[in-house]
Each structure stands twice: as C-alpha cells, then as structure tokens.
Amino acid sequence: MIIAVTGTPGVGKTTVAKRLAEILGYEYVDLKEFALKKGIGEKKGDELEVEVDELAYHVERDLKGQDVVLDGHLSHLMPVDLVIVLRAHPKLIWERLKARGYPEEKVRENVEAELIDLILVEAVDEHENVIEVDTTGKDPQEVVNEILNLIKSGTKRRVGIVDWSRVYDDVVPYLRLSM
Ligand SMILES: Nc1ncnc2c1ncn2[C@@H]1O[C@H](COP(=O)(O)OP(=O)(O)OP(=O)(O)O)[C@@H](O)[C@H]1O
C-alpha cells in the first residue's frame, strides 16, 4: 500500500512520515529525492519544479504494489492508496518556516495555504481515501499513534476536522496582506 503524507511545508510531514514508515515496516520515500534521482523536474534555488503527471507516471511505475510511505507536499497528487493530510495552526507554520530562514513572502504564502485548507482541498479532489490529522499541540509520536489507530480501525476517510477561520484574527499578522 502507498500512503502519502502531505501538508503545508513545515507542518511536520518528514518527521511523521519517517516514524510511520519505521513502525509499519514500510519503505520511506521522499518524493523530492525520488524526482531528483529520476532526473525529473528543474531545480530553482532549493525548490524543484516538476511536471506532476510525469512524476505520477514514475511513482506508478516504480512504487505501485509496494508498501511505501511517500513524503512530500505533492504526494497527494500521486497515485497512492491513502492520503494523510497533516494540519498545524498557521502560527506554527510561521514559526517553523521563519526559523528555517525562508523569505518572509514565502513564509506568509505558506501560512495562507494552511489557513485556507489548500492541500486538503487538493487531496479530496484527487482521492477518496483521505485522513486529516491536526498535529497542533501533539508531539510527533502522538500524531503517528493517531494515524496508526485510524489505519488499524479501517478508517478510509476523515476530513473537515480543522477550521482555522476561527483563529483568523490571530493569523492576520502573518498573512501577505499584513506586509
Ligand atoms: N508534532 C510536532 N511537534 C513539534 N514540532 C514538530 C512536530 N512535527 C514536526 N515538528 C518540527 O517542525 C519542523 C518541520 O518539521 P518537518 O521538516 O517534518 O516538516 P515538513 O512538513 O516535512 O517540512 P517540509 O515540507 O518543508 O519538508 C521541524 O523542526 C520538526 O522538528
């Protein structure tokens, strides 16, 4: 089974995906590393611009039928069996991406993406089997345990558990409109 772990940059995908793969005994695949190894896409700074359909073709060809946890903010656009969408309070995204030294405009862009459920909306457009997990206030192991329990209970779809509009006023200072 291929499990995608996706979400806004800085939400905790890699941290969770690696632990999840280890506990499940699945192969961990970083989608960006996979693309680089295949020579797919064009490096633009530390970003990799890829043609999603081309990447999906290679994921299908190379990983189909294998037990894999696929880590990346495009993984929900790949041919996978289950999508885990991680969520975090937009202020956490701000703090983590600022700490990483991202340019302010890029940090604000990602804060907005988290605020408006961008990745979740893309994931449910692409897949039936989507599980949304709010990681806010939980340590990585708690997040992984929640995912494992959901998988073990046969949950295929759990979405709509996060609504950051209720904290909009707290988030406004971290949006592009406040620049
Ligand atoms: N549940 C958590 N609680 C506290 N800190 C966390 C949690 N999950 C991840 N972090 C921290 O948040 C930062 C970002 O985590 P990580 O690199 O896994 O995110 P990511 O979504 O993979 O980011 P990117 O898409 O940019 O690779 C790291 O410093 C990590 O240690």
mmCIF file with all atom_site columns, all heavy atoms in Angstrom, residues 3 15-28 69 140-149 151-152:
data_model
loop_
_atom_site.group_PDB
_atom_site.id
_atom_site.type_symbol
_atom_site.label_atom_id
_atom_site.label_alt_id
_atom_site.label_comp_id
_atom_site.label_asym_id
_atom_site.label_entity_id
_atom_site.label_seq_id
_atom_site.pdbx_PDB_ins_code
_atom_site.Cartn_x
_atom_site.Cartn_y
_atom_site.Cartn_z
_atom_site.occupancy
_atom_site.B_iso_or_equiv
_atom_site.pdbx_formal_charge
_atom_site.auth_seq_id
_atom_site.auth_comp_id
_atom_site.auth_asym_id
_atom_site.auth_atom_id
_atom_site.pdbx_PDB_model_num
ATOM 1   N N   . ILE A 1 3   ? 1.118  5.039  1.120  1.00 0.00 ? 3   ILE A N   1
ATOM 2   C CA  . ILE A 1 3   ? 0.488  6.049  1.975  1.00 0.00 ? 3   ILE A CA  1
ATOM 3   C C   . ILE A 1 3   ? 1.195  7.382  1.742  1.00 0.00 ? 3   ILE A C   1
ATOM 4   O O   . ILE A 1 3   ? 2.420  7.467  1.938  1.00 0.00 ? 3   ILE A O   1
ATOM 5   C CB  . ILE A 1 3   ? 0.594  5.668  3.464  1.00 0.00 ? 3   ILE A CB  1
ATOM 6   C CG1 . ILE A 1 3   ? -0.054 4.301  3.735  1.00 0.00 ? 3   ILE A CG1 1
ATOM 7   C CG2 . ILE A 1 3   ? -0.022 6.757  4.352  1.00 0.00 ? 3   ILE A CG2 1
ATOM 8   C CD1 . ILE A 1 3   ? 0.145  3.791  5.159  1.00 0.00 ? 3   ILE A CD1 1
ATOM 9   N N   . THR A 1 15  ? 8.957  14.405 9.608  1.00 0.00 ? 15  THR A N   1
ATOM 10  C CA  . THR A 1 15  ? 9.050  13.885 10.986 1.00 0.00 ? 15  THR A CA  1
ATOM 11  C C   . THR A 1 15  ? 8.082  12.726 11.176 1.00 0.00 ? 15  THR A C   1
ATOM 12  O O   . THR A 1 15  ? 8.429  11.660 11.666 1.00 0.00 ? 15  THR A O   1
ATOM 13  C CB  . THR A 1 15  ? 8.723  15.014 11.988 1.00 0.00 ? 15  THR A CB  1
ATOM 14  O OG1 . THR A 1 15  ? 9.585  16.128 11.729 1.00 0.00 ? 15  THR A OG1 1
ATOM 15  C CG2 . THR A 1 15  ? 8.896  14.551 13.423 1.00 0.00 ? 15  THR A CG2 1
ATOM 16  N N   . VAL A 1 16  ? 6.842  12.915 10.731 1.00 0.00 ? 16  VAL A N   1
ATOM 17  C CA  . VAL A 1 16  ? 5.805  11.891 10.913 1.00 0.00 ? 16  VAL A CA  1
ATOM 18  C C   . VAL A 1 16  ? 6.002  10.733 9.947  1.00 0.00 ? 16  VAL A C   1
ATOM 19  O O   . VAL A 1 16  ? 5.903  9.566  10.323 1.00 0.00 ? 16  VAL A O   1
ATOM 20  C CB  . VAL A 1 16  ? 4.408  12.538 10.739 1.00 0.00 ? 16  VAL A CB  1
ATOM 21  C CG1 . VAL A 1 16  ? 3.326  11.488 10.581 1.00 0.00 ? 16  VAL A CG1 1
ATOM 22  C CG2 . VAL A 1 16  ? 4.098  13.446 11.920 1.00 0.00 ? 16  VAL A CG2 1
ATOM 23  N N   . ALA A 1 17  ? 6.316  11.050 8.680  1.00 0.00 ? 17  ALA A N   1
ATOM 24  C CA  . ALA A 1 17  ? 6.419  10.006 7.640  1.00 0.00 ? 17  ALA A CA  1
ATOM 25  C C   . ALA A 1 17  ? 7.509  8.987  7.978  1.00 0.00 ? 17  ALA A C   1
ATOM 26  O O   . ALA A 1 17  ? 7.319  7.779  7.824  1.00 0.00 ? 17  ALA A O   1
ATOM 27  C CB  . ALA A 1 17  ? 6.687  10.657 6.282  1.00 0.00 ? 17  ALA A CB  1
ATOM 28  N N   . LYS A 1 18  ? 8.634  9.480  8.484  1.00 0.00 ? 18  LYS A N   1
ATOM 29  C CA  . LYS A 1 18  ? 9.752  8.565  8.795  1.00 0.00 ? 18  LYS A CA  1
ATOM 30  C C   . LYS A 1 18  ? 9.358  7.617  9.933  1.00 0.00 ? 18  LYS A C   1
ATOM 31  O O   . LYS A 1 18  ? 9.592  6.412  9.873  1.00 0.00 ? 18  LYS A O   1
ATOM 32  C CB  . LYS A 1 18  ? 11.007 9.355  9.154  1.00 0.00 ? 18  LYS A CB  1
ATOM 33  C CG  . LYS A 1 18  ? 11.684 9.960  7.920  1.00 0.00 ? 18  LYS A CG  1
ATOM 34  C CD  . LYS A 1 18  ? 12.985 10.675 8.241  1.00 0.00 ? 18  LYS A CD  1
ATOM 35  C CE  . LYS A 1 18  ? 13.701 11.067 6.941  1.00 0.00 ? 18  LYS A CE  1
ATOM 36  N NZ  . LYS A 1 18  ? 14.859 11.961 7.171  1.00 0.00 ? 18  LYS A NZ  1
ATOM 37  N N   . ARG A 1 19  ? 8.712  8.186  10.967 1.00 0.00 ? 19  ARG A N   1
ATOM 38  C CA  . ARG A 1 19  ? 8.300  7.328  12.095 1.00 0.00 ? 19  ARG A CA  1
ATOM 39  C C   . ARG A 1 19  ? 7.226  6.343  11.671 1.00 0.00 ? 19  ARG A C   1
ATOM 40  O O   . ARG A 1 19  ? 7.236  5.177  12.044 1.00 0.00 ? 19  ARG A O   1
ATOM 41  C CB  . ARG A 1 19  ? 7.744  8.196  13.233 1.00 0.00 ? 19  ARG A CB  1
ATOM 42  C CG  . ARG A 1 19  ? 8.796  8.953  13.999 1.00 0.00 ? 19  ARG A CG  1
ATOM 43  C CD  . ARG A 1 19  ? 8.148  9.827  15.040 1.00 0.00 ? 19  ARG A CD  1
ATOM 44  N NE  . ARG A 1 19  ? 9.134  10.724 15.646 1.00 0.00 ? 19  ARG A NE  1
ATOM 45  C CZ  . ARG A 1 19  ? 9.245  10.910 16.951 1.00 0.00 ? 19  ARG A CZ  1
ATOM 46  N NH1 . ARG A 1 19  ? 8.442  10.281 17.759 1.00 0.00 ? 19  ARG A NH1 1
ATOM 47  N NH2 . ARG A 1 19  ? 10.137 11.728 17.452 1.00 0.00 ? 19  ARG A NH2 1
ATOM 48  N N   . LEU A 1 20  ? 6.307  6.821  10.875 1.00 0.00 ? 20  LEU A N   1
ATOM 49  C CA  . LEU A 1 20  ? 5.198  5.960  10.416 1.00 0.00 ? 20  LEU A CA  1
ATOM 50  C C   . LEU A 1 20  ? 5.759  4.792  9.601  1.00 0.00 ? 20  LEU A C   1
ATOM 51  O O   . LEU A 1 20  ? 5.391  3.629  9.812  1.00 0.00 ? 20  LEU A O   1
ATOM 52  C CB  . LEU A 1 20  ? 4.221  6.792  9.569  1.00 0.00 ? 20  LEU A CB  1
ATOM 53  C CG  . LEU A 1 20  ? 2.912  6.129  9.168  1.00 0.00 ? 20  LEU A CG  1
ATOM 54  C CD1 . LEU A 1 20  ? 2.072  5.788  10.390 1.00 0.00 ? 20  LEU A CD1 1
ATOM 55  C CD2 . LEU A 1 20  ? 2.117  7.050  8.215  1.00 0.00 ? 20  LEU A CD2 1
ATOM 56  N N   . ALA A 1 21  ? 6.690  5.092  8.699  1.00 0.00 ? 21  ALA A N   1
ATOM 57  C CA  . ALA A 1 21  ? 7.294  4.048  7.849  1.00 0.00 ? 21  ALA A CA  1
ATOM 58  C C   . ALA A 1 21  ? 8.013  3.013  8.713  1.00 0.00 ? 21  ALA A C   1
ATOM 59  O O   . ALA A 1 21  ? 7.857  1.800  8.525  1.00 0.00 ? 21  ALA A O   1
ATOM 60  C CB  . ALA A 1 21  ? 8.261  4.674  6.854  1.00 0.00 ? 21  ALA A CB  1
ATOM 61  N N   . GLU A 1 22  ? 8.738  3.522  9.712  1.00 0.00 ? 22  GLU A N   1
ATOM 62  C CA  . GLU A 1 22  ? 9.513  2.617  10.580 1.00 0.00 ? 22  GLU A CA  1
ATOM 63  C C   . GLU A 1 22  ? 8.578  1.658  11.335 1.00 0.00 ? 22  GLU A C   1
ATOM 64  O O   . GLU A 1 22  ? 8.772  0.440  11.328 1.00 0.00 ? 22  GLU A O   1
ATOM 65  C CB  . GLU A 1 22  ? 10.313 3.475  11.562 1.00 0.00 ? 22  GLU A CB  1
ATOM 66  C CG  . GLU A 1 22  ? 11.421 2.740  12.294 1.00 0.00 ? 22  GLU A CG  1
ATOM 67  C CD  . GLU A 1 22  ? 12.089 3.672  13.325 1.00 0.00 ? 22  GLU A CD  1
ATOM 68  O OE1 . GLU A 1 22  ? 12.113 4.909  13.119 1.00 0.00 ? 22  GLU A OE1 1
ATOM 69  O OE2 . GLU A 1 22  ? 12.551 3.151  14.351 1.00 0.00 ? 22  GLU A OE2 1
ATOM 70  N N   . ILE A 1 23  ? 7.536  2.210  11.921 1.00 0.00 ? 23  ILE A N   1
ATOM 71  C CA  . ILE A 1 23  ? 6.617  1.376  12.722 1.00 0.00 ? 23  ILE A CA  1
ATOM 72  C C   . ILE A 1 23  ? 5.852  0.395  11.838 1.00 0.00 ? 23  ILE A C   1
ATOM 73  O O   . ILE A 1 23  ? 5.655  -0.767 12.188 1.00 0.00 ? 23  ILE A O   1
ATOM 74  C CB  . ILE A 1 23  ? 5.642  2.276  13.524 1.00 0.00 ? 23  ILE A CB  1
ATOM 75  C CG1 . ILE A 1 23  ? 6.416  3.067  14.575 1.00 0.00 ? 23  ILE A CG1 1
ATOM 76  C CG2 . ILE A 1 23  ? 4.528  1.459  14.158 1.00 0.00 ? 23  ILE A CG2 1
ATOM 77  C CD1 . ILE A 1 23  ? 5.614  4.136  15.291 1.00 0.00 ? 23  ILE A CD1 1
ATOM 78  N N   . LEU A 1 24  ? 5.459  0.832  10.656 1.00 0.00 ? 24  LEU A N   1
ATOM 79  C CA  . LEU A 1 24  ? 4.709  -0.051 9.750  1.00 0.00 ? 24  LEU A CA  1
ATOM 80  C C   . LEU A 1 24  ? 5.630  -1.039 9.025  1.00 0.00 ? 24  LEU A C   1
ATOM 81  O O   . LEU A 1 24  ? 5.162  -2.000 8.427  1.00 0.00 ? 24  LEU A O   1
ATOM 82  C CB  . LEU A 1 24  ? 3.947  0.787  8.710  1.00 0.00 ? 24  LEU A CB  1
ATOM 83  C CG  . LEU A 1 24  ? 2.735  1.581  9.205  1.00 0.00 ? 24  LEU A CG  1
ATOM 84  C CD1 . LEU A 1 24  ? 2.215  2.490  8.085  1.00 0.00 ? 24  LEU A CD1 1
ATOM 85  C CD2 . LEU A 1 24  ? 1.636  0.642  9.691  1.00 0.00 ? 24  LEU A CD2 1
ATOM 86  N N   . GLY A 1 25  ? 6.943  -0.757 9.059  1.00 0.00 ? 25  GLY A N   1
ATOM 87  C CA  . GLY A 1 25  ? 7.867  -1.597 8.289  1.00 0.00 ? 25  GLY A CA  1
ATOM 88  C C   . GLY A 1 25  ? 7.749  -1.311 6.797  1.00 0.00 ? 25  GLY A C   1
ATOM 89  O O   . GLY A 1 25  ? 7.982  -2.185 5.956  1.00 0.00 ? 25  GLY A O   1
ATOM 90  N N   . TYR A 1 26  ? 7.344  -0.070 6.484  1.00 0.00 ? 26  TYR A N   1
ATOM 91  C CA  . TYR A 1 26  ? 7.236  0.346  5.073  1.00 0.00 ? 26  TYR A CA  1
ATOM 92  C C   . TYR A 1 26  ? 8.519  1.046  4.649  1.00 0.00 ? 26  TYR A C   1
ATOM 93  O O   . TYR A 1 26  ? 9.276  1.538  5.469  1.00 0.00 ? 26  TYR A O   1
ATOM 94  C CB  . TYR A 1 26  ? 6.056  1.328  4.911  1.00 0.00 ? 26  TYR A CB  1
ATOM 95  C CG  . TYR A 1 26  ? 4.667  0.707  4.823  1.00 0.00 ? 26  TYR A CG  1
ATOM 96  C CD1 . TYR A 1 26  ? 4.365  -0.517 5.414  1.00 0.00 ? 26  TYR A CD1 1
ATOM 97  C CD2 . TYR A 1 26  ? 3.642  1.374  4.154  1.00 0.00 ? 26  TYR A CD2 1
ATOM 98  C CE1 . TYR A 1 26  ? 3.082  -1.056 5.343  1.00 0.00 ? 26  TYR A CE1 1
ATOM 99  C CE2 . TYR A 1 26  ? 2.364  0.846  4.068  1.00 0.00 ? 26  TYR A CE2 1
ATOM 100 C CZ  . TYR A 1 26  ? 2.101  -0.381 4.663  1.00 0.00 ? 26  TYR A CZ  1
ATOM 101 O OH  . TYR A 1 26  ? 0.822  -0.913 4.580  1.00 0.00 ? 26  TYR A OH  1
ATOM 102 N N   . GLU A 1 27  ? 8.713  1.112  3.316  1.00 0.00 ? 27  GLU A N   1
ATOM 103 C CA  . GLU A 1 27  ? 9.829  1.911  2.805  1.00 0.00 ? 27  GLU A CA  1
ATOM 104 C C   . GLU A 1 27  ? 9.464  3.389  2.901  1.00 0.00 ? 27  GLU A C   1
ATOM 105 O O   . GLU A 1 27  ? 8.329  3.760  2.568  1.00 0.00 ? 27  GLU A O   1
ATOM 106 C CB  . GLU A 1 27  ? 10.086 1.528  1.331  1.00 0.00 ? 27  GLU A CB  1
ATOM 107 C CG  . GLU A 1 27  ? 11.305 2.211  0.724  1.00 0.00 ? 27  GLU A CG  1
ATOM 108 C CD  . GLU A 1 27  ? 11.375 2.008  -0.812 1.00 0.00 ? 27  GLU A CD  1
ATOM 109 O OE1 . GLU A 1 27  ? 10.553 1.249  -1.361 1.00 0.00 ? 27  GLU A OE1 1
ATOM 110 O OE2 . GLU A 1 27  ? 12.258 2.647  -1.430 1.00 0.00 ? 27  GLU A OE2 1
ATOM 111 N N   . TYR A 1 28  ? 10.407 4.204  3.353  1.00 0.00 ? 28  TYR A N   1
ATOM 112 C CA  . TYR A 1 28  ? 10.189 5.661  3.385  1.00 0.00 ? 28  TYR A CA  1
ATOM 113 C C   . TYR A 1 28  ? 10.720 6.243  2.085  1.00 0.00 ? 28  TYR A C   1
ATOM 114 O O   . TYR A 1 28  ? 11.871 5.988  1.702  1.00 0.00 ? 28  TYR A O   1
ATOM 115 C CB  . TYR A 1 28  ? 10.931 6.294  4.578  1.00 0.00 ? 28  TYR A CB  1
ATOM 116 C CG  . TYR A 1 28  ? 11.009 7.808  4.478  1.00 0.00 ? 28  TYR A CG  1
ATOM 117 C CD1 . TYR A 1 28  ? 9.940  8.605  4.854  1.00 0.00 ? 28  TYR A CD1 1
ATOM 118 C CD2 . TYR A 1 28  ? 12.149 8.432  3.952  1.00 0.00 ? 28  TYR A CD2 1
ATOM 119 C CE1 . TYR A 1 28  ? 9.988  9.989  4.723  1.00 0.00 ? 28  TYR A CE1 1
ATOM 120 C CE2 . TYR A 1 28  ? 12.210 9.818  3.805  1.00 0.00 ? 28  TYR A CE2 1
ATOM 121 C CZ  . TYR A 1 28  ? 11.117 10.588 4.186  1.00 0.00 ? 28  TYR A CZ  1
ATOM 122 O OH  . TYR A 1 28  ? 11.171 11.955 4.051  1.00 0.00 ? 28  TYR A OH  1
ATOM 123 N N   . VAL A 1 69  ? 5.710  4.692  2.424  1.00 0.00 ? 69  VAL A N   1
ATOM 124 C CA  . VAL A 1 69  ? 5.195  5.978  2.947  1.00 0.00 ? 69  VAL A CA  1
ATOM 125 C C   . VAL A 1 69  ? 5.866  7.066  2.111  1.00 0.00 ? 69  VAL A C   1
ATOM 126 O O   . VAL A 1 69  ? 7.100  7.159  2.080  1.00 0.00 ? 69  VAL A O   1
ATOM 127 C CB  . VAL A 1 69  ? 5.527  6.177  4.445  1.00 0.00 ? 69  VAL A CB  1
ATOM 128 C CG1 . VAL A 1 69  ? 5.113  7.584  4.905  1.00 0.00 ? 69  VAL A CG1 1
ATOM 129 C CG2 . VAL A 1 69  ? 4.803  5.118  5.293  1.00 0.00 ? 69  VAL A CG2 1
ATOM 130 N N   . PRO A 1 140 ? 5.287  14.396 17.864 1.00 0.00 ? 140 PRO A N   1
ATOM 131 C CA  . PRO A 1 140 ? 5.264  13.531 16.677 1.00 0.00 ? 140 PRO A CA  1
ATOM 132 C C   . PRO A 1 140 ? 4.727  12.126 16.948 1.00 0.00 ? 140 PRO A C   1
ATOM 133 O O   . PRO A 1 140 ? 3.946  11.595 16.167 1.00 0.00 ? 140 PRO A O   1
ATOM 134 C CB  . PRO A 1 140 ? 6.733  13.498 16.235 1.00 0.00 ? 140 PRO A CB  1
ATOM 135 C CG  . PRO A 1 140 ? 7.279  14.802 16.700 1.00 0.00 ? 140 PRO A CG  1
ATOM 136 C CD  . PRO A 1 140 ? 6.581  15.101 18.001 1.00 0.00 ? 140 PRO A CD  1
ATOM 137 N N   . GLN A 1 141 ? 5.082  11.561 18.111 1.00 0.00 ? 141 GLN A N   1
ATOM 138 C CA  . GLN A 1 141 ? 4.630  10.189 18.401 1.00 0.00 ? 141 GLN A CA  1
ATOM 139 C C   . GLN A 1 141 ? 3.122  10.138 18.576 1.00 0.00 ? 141 GLN A C   1
ATOM 140 O O   . GLN A 1 141 ? 2.467  9.185  18.136 1.00 0.00 ? 141 GLN A O   1
ATOM 141 C CB  . GLN A 1 141 ? 5.335  9.622  19.642 1.00 0.00 ? 141 GLN A CB  1
ATOM 142 C CG  . GLN A 1 141 ? 5.229  8.095  19.744 1.00 0.00 ? 141 GLN A CG  1
ATOM 143 C CD  . GLN A 1 141 ? 5.701  7.398  18.464 1.00 0.00 ? 141 GLN A CD  1
ATOM 144 O OE1 . GLN A 1 141 ? 6.796  7.632  17.969 1.00 0.00 ? 141 GLN A OE1 1
ATOM 145 N NE2 . GLN A 1 141 ? 4.843  6.523  17.914 1.00 0.00 ? 141 GLN A NE2 1
ATOM 146 N N   . GLU A 1 142 ? 2.562  11.163 19.204 1.00 0.00 ? 142 GLU A N   1
ATOM 147 C CA  . GLU A 1 142 ? 1.097  11.210 19.366 1.00 0.00 ? 142 GLU A CA  1
ATOM 148 C C   . GLU A 1 142 ? 0.413  11.264 18.002 1.00 0.00 ? 142 GLU A C   1
ATOM 149 O O   . GLU A 1 142 ? -0.595 10.609 17.755 1.00 0.00 ? 142 GLU A O   1
ATOM 150 C CB  . GLU A 1 142 ? 0.689  12.455 20.176 1.00 0.00 ? 142 GLU A CB  1
ATOM 151 C CG  . GLU A 1 142 ? 0.977  12.362 21.665 1.00 0.00 ? 142 GLU A CG  1
ATOM 152 C CD  . GLU A 1 142 ? 0.720  13.688 22.395 1.00 0.00 ? 142 GLU A CD  1
ATOM 153 O OE1 . GLU A 1 142 ? 1.377  14.706 22.066 1.00 0.00 ? 142 GLU A OE1 1
ATOM 154 O OE2 . GLU A 1 142 ? -0.149 13.689 23.291 1.00 0.00 ? 142 GLU A OE2 1
ATOM 155 N N   . VAL A 1 143 ? 1.019  12.015 17.094 1.00 0.00 ? 143 VAL A N   1
ATOM 156 C CA  . VAL A 1 143 ? 0.450  12.128 15.736 1.00 0.00 ? 143 VAL A CA  1
ATOM 157 C C   . VAL A 1 143 ? 0.519  10.768 15.042 1.00 0.00 ? 143 VAL A C   1
ATOM 158 O O   . VAL A 1 143 ? -0.474 10.291 14.476 1.00 0.00 ? 143 VAL A O   1
ATOM 159 C CB  . VAL A 1 143 ? 1.206  13.198 14.917 1.00 0.00 ? 143 VAL A CB  1
ATOM 160 C CG1 . VAL A 1 143 ? 0.710  13.233 13.473 1.00 0.00 ? 143 VAL A CG1 1
ATOM 161 C CG2 . VAL A 1 143 ? 1.070  14.578 15.570 1.00 0.00 ? 143 VAL A CG2 1
ATOM 162 N N   . VAL A 1 144 ? 1.668  10.127 15.140 1.00 0.00 ? 144 VAL A N   1
ATOM 163 C CA  . VAL A 1 144 ? 1.840  8.811  14.491 1.00 0.00 ? 144 VAL A CA  1
ATOM 164 C C   . VAL A 1 144 ? 0.879  7.790  15.102 1.00 0.00 ? 144 VAL A C   1
ATOM 165 O O   . VAL A 1 144 ? 0.215  7.027  14.389 1.00 0.00 ? 144 VAL A O   1
ATOM 166 C CB  . VAL A 1 144 ? 3.295  8.338  14.624 1.00 0.00 ? 144 VAL A CB  1
ATOM 167 C CG1 . VAL A 1 144 ? 3.450  6.892  14.152 1.00 0.00 ? 144 VAL A CG1 1
ATOM 168 C CG2 . VAL A 1 144 ? 4.234  9.233  13.808 1.00 0.00 ? 144 VAL A CG2 1
ATOM 169 N N   . ASN A 1 145 ? 0.732  7.808  16.426 1.00 0.00 ? 145 ASN A N   1
ATOM 170 C CA  . ASN A 1 145 ? -0.191 6.858  17.083 1.00 0.00 ? 145 ASN A CA  1
ATOM 171 C C   . ASN A 1 145 ? -1.633 7.077  16.612 1.00 0.00 ? 145 ASN A C   1
ATOM 172 O O   . ASN A 1 145 ? -2.363 6.114  16.358 1.00 0.00 ? 145 ASN A O   1
ATOM 173 C CB  . ASN A 1 145 ? -0.120 7.005  18.604 1.00 0.00 ? 145 ASN A CB  1
ATOM 174 C CG  . ASN A 1 145 ? 1.219  6.516  19.162 1.00 0.00 ? 145 ASN A CG  1
ATOM 175 O OD1 . ASN A 1 145 ? 1.944  5.770  18.488 1.00 0.00 ? 145 ASN A OD1 1
ATOM 176 N ND2 . ASN A 1 145 ? 1.560  6.964  20.364 1.00 0.00 ? 145 ASN A ND2 1
ATOM 177 N N   . GLU A 1 146 ? -2.001 8.353  16.452 1.00 0.00 ? 146 GLU A N   1
ATOM 178 C CA  . GLU A 1 146 ? -3.364 8.667  15.986 1.00 0.00 ? 146 GLU A CA  1
ATOM 179 C C   . GLU A 1 146 ? -3.573 8.098  14.583 1.00 0.00 ? 146 GLU A C   1
ATOM 180 O O   . GLU A 1 146 ? -4.590 7.467  14.289 1.00 0.00 ? 146 GLU A O   1
ATOM 181 C CB  . GLU A 1 146 ? -3.570 10.186 15.983 1.00 0.00 ? 146 GLU A CB  1
ATOM 182 C CG  . GLU A 1 146 ? -4.978 10.626 15.600 1.00 0.00 ? 146 GLU A CG  1
ATOM 183 C CD  . GLU A 1 146 ? -5.200 12.140 15.739 1.00 0.00 ? 146 GLU A CD  1
ATOM 184 O OE1 . GLU A 1 146 ? -4.440 12.807 16.482 1.00 0.00 ? 146 GLU A OE1 1
ATOM 185 O OE2 . GLU A 1 146 ? -6.136 12.647 15.100 1.00 0.00 ? 146 GLU A OE2 1
ATOM 186 N N   . ILE A 1 147 ? -2.564 8.257  13.746 1.00 0.00 ? 147 ILE A N   1
ATOM 187 C CA  . ILE A 1 147 ? -2.666 7.746  12.360 1.00 0.00 ? 147 ILE A CA  1
ATOM 188 C C   . ILE A 1 147 ? -2.744 6.219  12.380 1.00 0.00 ? 147 ILE A C   1
ATOM 189 O O   . ILE A 1 147 ? -3.603 5.614  11.730 1.00 0.00 ? 147 ILE A O   1
ATOM 190 C CB  . ILE A 1 147 ? -1.457 8.217  11.535 1.00 0.00 ? 147 ILE A CB  1
ATOM 191 C CG1 . ILE A 1 147 ? -1.481 9.745  11.350 1.00 0.00 ? 147 ILE A CG1 1
ATOM 192 C CG2 . ILE A 1 147 ? -1.408 7.513  10.176 1.00 0.00 ? 147 ILE A CG2 1
ATOM 193 C CD1 . ILE A 1 147 ? -0.177 10.333 10.815 1.00 0.00 ? 147 ILE A CD1 1
ATOM 194 N N   . LEU A 1 148 ? -1.892 5.587  13.169 1.00 0.00 ? 148 LEU A N   1
ATOM 195 C CA  . LEU A 1 148 ? -1.874 4.121  13.231 1.00 0.00 ? 148 LEU A CA  1
ATOM 196 C C   . LEU A 1 148 ? -3.227 3.591  13.712 1.00 0.00 ? 148 LEU A C   1
ATOM 197 O O   . LEU A 1 148 ? -3.773 2.624  13.165 1.00 0.00 ? 148 LEU A O   1
ATOM 198 C CB  . LEU A 1 148 ? -0.758 3.642  14.155 1.00 0.00 ? 148 LEU A CB  1
ATOM 199 C CG  . LEU A 1 148 ? 0.668  3.790  13.613 1.00 0.00 ? 148 LEU A CG  1
ATOM 200 C CD1 . LEU A 1 148 ? 1.686  3.553  14.730 1.00 0.00 ? 148 LEU A CD1 1
ATOM 201 C CD2 . LEU A 1 148 ? 0.913  2.845  12.432 1.00 0.00 ? 148 LEU A CD2 1
ATOM 202 N N   . ASN A 1 149 ? -3.794 4.230  14.737 1.00 0.00 ? 149 ASN A N   1
ATOM 203 C CA  . ASN A 1 149 ? -5.105 3.793  15.249 1.00 0.00 ? 149 ASN A CA  1
ATOM 204 C C   . ASN A 1 149 ? -6.189 3.930  14.175 1.00 0.00 ? 149 ASN A C   1
ATOM 205 O O   . ASN A 1 149 ? -7.040 3.045  14.023 1.00 0.00 ? 149 ASN A O   1
ATOM 206 C CB  . ASN A 1 149 ? -5.484 4.589  16.502 1.00 0.00 ? 149 ASN A CB  1
ATOM 207 C CG  . ASN A 1 149 ? -4.611 4.226  17.698 1.00 0.00 ? 149 ASN A CG  1
ATOM 208 O OD1 . ASN A 1 149 ? -4.066 3.101  17.748 1.00 0.00 ? 149 ASN A OD1 1
ATOM 209 N ND2 . ASN A 1 149 ? -4.416 5.151  18.621 1.00 0.00 ? 149 ASN A ND2 1
ATOM 210 N N   . ILE A 1 151 ? -5.728 3.875  10.901 1.00 0.00 ? 151 ILE A N   1
ATOM 211 C CA  . ILE A 1 151 ? -5.499 2.860  9.852  1.00 0.00 ? 151 ILE A CA  1
ATOM 212 C C   . ILE A 1 151 ? -5.975 1.491  10.361 1.00 0.00 ? 151 ILE A C   1
ATOM 213 O O   . ILE A 1 151 ? -6.697 0.760  9.686  1.00 0.00 ? 151 ILE A O   1
ATOM 214 C CB  . ILE A 1 151 ? -4.010 2.817  9.457  1.00 0.00 ? 151 ILE A CB  1
ATOM 215 C CG1 . ILE A 1 151 ? -3.609 4.105  8.718  1.00 0.00 ? 151 ILE A CG1 1
ATOM 216 C CG2 . ILE A 1 151 ? -3.708 1.596  8.586  1.00 0.00 ? 151 ILE A CG2 1
ATOM 217 C CD1 . ILE A 1 151 ? -2.114 4.229  8.413  1.00 0.00 ? 151 ILE A CD1 1
ATOM 218 N N   . LYS A 1 152 ? -5.596 1.172  11.626 1.00 0.00 ? 152 LYS A N   1
ATOM 219 C CA  . LYS A 1 152 ? -5.960 -0.150 12.185 1.00 0.00 ? 152 LYS A CA  1
ATOM 220 C C   . LYS A 1 152 ? -7.490 -0.293 12.292 1.00 0.00 ? 152 LYS A C   1
ATOM 221 O O   . LYS A 1 152 ? -8.031 -1.383 12.131 1.00 0.00 ? 152 LYS A O   1
ATOM 222 C CB  . LYS A 1 152 ? -5.335 -0.338 13.561 1.00 0.00 ? 152 LYS A CB  1
ATOM 223 C CG  . LYS A 1 152 ? -3.852 -0.685 13.490 1.00 0.00 ? 152 LYS A CG  1
ATOM 224 C CD  . LYS A 1 152 ? -3.263 -1.114 14.819 1.00 0.00 ? 152 LYS A CD  1
ATOM 225 C CE  . LYS A 1 152 ? -1.738 -1.297 14.684 1.00 0.00 ? 152 LYS A CE  1
ATOM 226 N NZ  . LYS A 1 152 ? -0.993 -0.338 15.540 1.00 0.00 ? 152 LYS A NZ  1
#
